């Protein structure tokens, strides 16, 4: 029994060490953004919204995280685009005198929890994550508005 315990302790230590090394290796890398992926994610979000409305958009974003995953920020772009669509539509209704609240799925708490997974996997600090979101948000907003309202 004694040897067994030592072996388990060793393998735990080894895997903890491996994780630490992996973390320190990943830590320094800032997120690499791709304007092509921003274009594609924005277009995808608008297309899904037009065909399937908000429920379809929410499903597509959930599916994106599951199937496309977290290697690149593609799904984060799509999530941000979905949020922009939701807010734009709510704003448009408001201007027509109708009160349509943005969906809970796109409000800060739920949205923040989803994108946090991406940033945690890429070893970004909270400060770095927020800076990245602040950087991509206006770029995606511009794309979404151009696709949603092509005639300005």
């Amino acid at each position: 029994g004694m040897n067994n315990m030592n072996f388990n302790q060793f393998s735990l230590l080894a895997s903890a060490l491996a994780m630490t090394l992996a973390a320190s290796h990943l830590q320094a890398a800032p997120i690499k953004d791709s304007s092509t992926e921003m274009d594609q994610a924005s277009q995808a979000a608008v297309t899904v919204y037009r065909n399937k409305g908000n429920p379809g958009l929410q499903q597509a974003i959930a599916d994106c995280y599951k199937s496309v995953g977290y290697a690149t920020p593609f799904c984060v772009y799509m999530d941000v685009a979905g949020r922009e669509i939701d807010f734009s539509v709510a704003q448009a209704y408001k201007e027509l005198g109708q009160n349509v609240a943005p969906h809970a799925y796109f409000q800060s708490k739920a949205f923040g929890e989803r994108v946090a997974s991406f940033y945690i996997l890429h070893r970004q600090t909270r400060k770095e994550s927020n800076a990245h979101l602040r950087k991509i948000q206006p770029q995606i907003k511009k794309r979404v508005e151009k696709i949603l309202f092509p005639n300005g």
Side-chain angles (χ1 to χ4, degrees):
M2 201 54 200
N3 289 345
N4 219 357
M5 196 182 89
N6 288 342
F7 176 73
N8 287 339
Q9 280 179 329
F10 171 76
S11 56
L12 272 175
L13 267 175
S15 58
L17 183 64
M19 280 167 69
T20 309
L21 288 172
S24 61
H25 167 68
L26 284 173
Q27 203 157 22
I31 305 297
K32 284 192 183 70
D33 286 307
S34 153
S35 64
T36 306
E37 284 200 349
M38 280 191 205
D39 291 342
Q40 292 168 341
S42 301
Q43 185 62 65
V46 173
T47 301
V48 171
Y49 178 77
R50 284 189 174 142
N51 294 326
K52 298 182 175 173
N54 211 290
L57 185 55
Q58 294 178 30
Q59 186 63 56
I61 291 165
D63 289 346
C64 186
Y65 286 116
K66 276 197 214 90
S67 58
V68 179
Y70 298 89
T72 77
F74 182 86
C75 301
V76 173
Y77 297 158
M78 197 173 171
D79 213 339
V80 171
R83 205 172 187 220
E84 287 304 325
I85 293 165
D86 196 46
F87 288 1
S88 296
V89 170
Q91 188 55 41
Y93 275 113
K94 200 175 179 176
E95 286 165 14
L96 295 172
Q98 294 180 48
N99 212 359
V100 175
H103 289 74
Y105 188 85
F106 292 113
Q107 286 173 10
S108 298
K109 189 178 186 301
F111 169 79
E113 285 167 5
R114 286 193 303 277
V115 298
S117 303
F118 170 81
Y119 292 114
I120 289 165
L121 281 169
H122 287 267
R123 303 294 192 275
Q124 301 294 295
T125 63
R126 182 180 290 257
K127 192 176 169 188
E128 288 165 335
S129 307
N130 287 333
H132 182 253
L133 277 174
R134 272 197 305 274
K135 184 180 108 178
I136 65 174
Q137 193 264 340
Q139 298 178 44
I140 292 171
K141 182 184 169 78
K142 198 165 68 185
R143 285 169 166 84
V144 165
E145 286 177 348
K146 205 170 172 176
I147 304 165
L148 268 182
F149 314 110
N151 305 319

